[in-house]
């Protein structure tokens, strides 16, 4: 066979082989992500120690959430025991205290829900998986560990121990985030969340429903808009 014909035949066979491989390659699609508002109906929290119930629910949420980057929830759940709740005079701010079991230090969960605070819920599909989010505007939560003394109300805000205020991890930060960098949160929520909002994310709706109901029970002025 002439050399030219042989090269032509080899080229043809190679082209057919590559075409077959391309035809058999699986079609890949990027995992879907979407966000849509969810109707939020809260239930009054019942039983004693409602403030402690809410603090426990929030701490457990941050501890078990796969997308958060926080260090305080673990020692709070294992090394501290729940104590009393203290309110500001206008009942727009509340702190649930926790005392260390073996050391003279304190932990606390702080809630700041001023007038005009708004809470909305969303169905979230992240990487093809169903999940849920709560977005609170003009509201903030903090988890604190290692404080030397409980704070006291100073007339316009809480006065924390100056020598040993503790380690703070707070939601609603305009810079930084409580989420892992790979999570895409809270940016995944797009126009539904902005800097300064408190964003909670969970794979089970019942988890966020419990927190939302506790917040609405203890801060009845918290607005929950209805969907049109």
């Amino acid at each position: 066979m002439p050399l030219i014909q042989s090269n032509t035949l080899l080229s043809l066979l190679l082209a057919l082989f590559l075409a077959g491989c391309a035809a058999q390659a699986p079609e890949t699609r990027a995992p879907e992500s979407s966000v849509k508002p969810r109707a939020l109906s809260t239930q009054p929290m019942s039983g004693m120690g409602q403030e402690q119930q809410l603090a426990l629910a929030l701490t457990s949420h941050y501890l078990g959430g796969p997308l958060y980057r926080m260090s305080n929830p673990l020692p709070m759940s294992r090394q501290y025991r729940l104590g009393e709740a203290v309110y500001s005079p206008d009942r727009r701010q509340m702190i649930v205290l926790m005392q260390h079991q073996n050391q003279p230090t304190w932990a606390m969960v702080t809630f700041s829900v001023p007038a005009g605070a708004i809470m909305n819920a969303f169905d979230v599909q992240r990487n093809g998986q169903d999940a849920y989010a709560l977005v609170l505007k003009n509201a903030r939560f903090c988890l604190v560990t290692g404080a030397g003394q409980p704070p006291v109300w100073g007339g316009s805000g809480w006065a924390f121990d100056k020598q040993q205020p503790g380690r703070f991890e707070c939601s609603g930060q305009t810079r930084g985030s409580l989420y892992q960098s790979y999570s895409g949160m809270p940016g995944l929520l797009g126009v539904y969340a902005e800097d300064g909002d408190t964003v909670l994310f969970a794979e089970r709706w019942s988890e966020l429903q419990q927190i939302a109901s506790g917040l609405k029970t203890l801060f009845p002025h918290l607005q929950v808009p209805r969907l049109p």
Side-chain angles (χ1 to χ4, degrees):
M1 180 181 294
L3 181 60
I4 295 178
Q5 292 182 358
S6 177
N7 289 340
T8 302
L9 181 58
L10 288 174
S11 299
L12 180 60
L13 290 174
L14 180 60
L16 291 173
F17 174 75
L18 293 175
C21 291
Q24 296 173 9
E27 188 175 318
T28 58
R29 295 182 179 180
E32 295 182 0
S33 296
S34 64
V35 181
K36 63 179 182 180
R38 177 187 181 91
L40 177 56
S41 177
T42 60
Q43 303 296 324
M45 182 181 286
S46 60
M48 300 292 291
Q50 296 173 352
E51 294 86 354
Q52 288 77 9
Q53 290 182 47
L54 176 59
L56 215 60
L58 186 64
T59 304
S60 298
H61 167 75
Y62 280 134
L63 178 63
L67 302 184
Y68 295 109
R69 53 172 184 182
M70 302 176 68
S71 59
N72 282 344
L74 183 59
M76 292 177 75
S77 66
R78 293 185 177 181
Q79 301 172 9
Y80 292 85
R81 57 178 179 269
L82 283 167
E84 65 177 333
V86 184
Y87 282 89
S88 61
D90 62 4
R91 299 188 72 83
R92 300 295 194 257
Q93 299 185 52
M94 185 261 289
I95 293 180
V96 176
L97 298 172
M98 302 179 181
Q99 191 168 14
H100 199 284
Q101 298 177 16
N102 302 312
Q103 301 174 9
T105 61
W106 297 78
M108 63 201 77
V109 184
T110 75
F111 298 86
S112 177
V113 186
I118 301 172
M119 178 170 58
N120 286 292
F122 299 91
D123 290 322
V124 180
Q125 191 173 70
R126 176 183 174 274
N127 296 336
Q129 300 295 320
D130 292 336
Y132 310 92
L134 278 181
V135 177
L136 292 102
K137 296 186 177 296
N138 198 27
R140 189 184 193 202
F141 313 139
C142 292
L143 272 61
V144 188
T145 57
Q149 295 290 336
V152 295
W153 184 254
S156 58
W158 298 105
F160 292 88
D161 189 323
K162 293 182 179 180
Q163 299 297 324
Q164 193 175 342
R167 174 185 173 85
F168 283 71
E169 291 179 331
C170 299
S171 69
Q173 302 176 97
T174 54
R175 295 183 180 180
S177 172
L178 296 182
Y179 285 97
Q180 298 282 356
S181 58
Y182 67 80
S183 69
M185 292 292 291
L188 178 63
L189 296 179
V191 298
Y192 295 117
E194 57 188 3
D195 283 348
D197 290 348
T198 286
V199 178
L200 304 179
F201 176 89
E203 296 174 344
R204 294 177 301 173
W205 171 241
S206 59
E207 187 176 321
L208 296 184
Q209 175 79 63
Q210 181 183 15
I211 295 173
S213 294
L215 289 169
K216 184 62 177 176
T217 298
L218 298 174
F219 303 98
H221 60 279
L222 177 60
Q223 302 176 41
V224 181
R226 293 186 178 182
L227 295 182

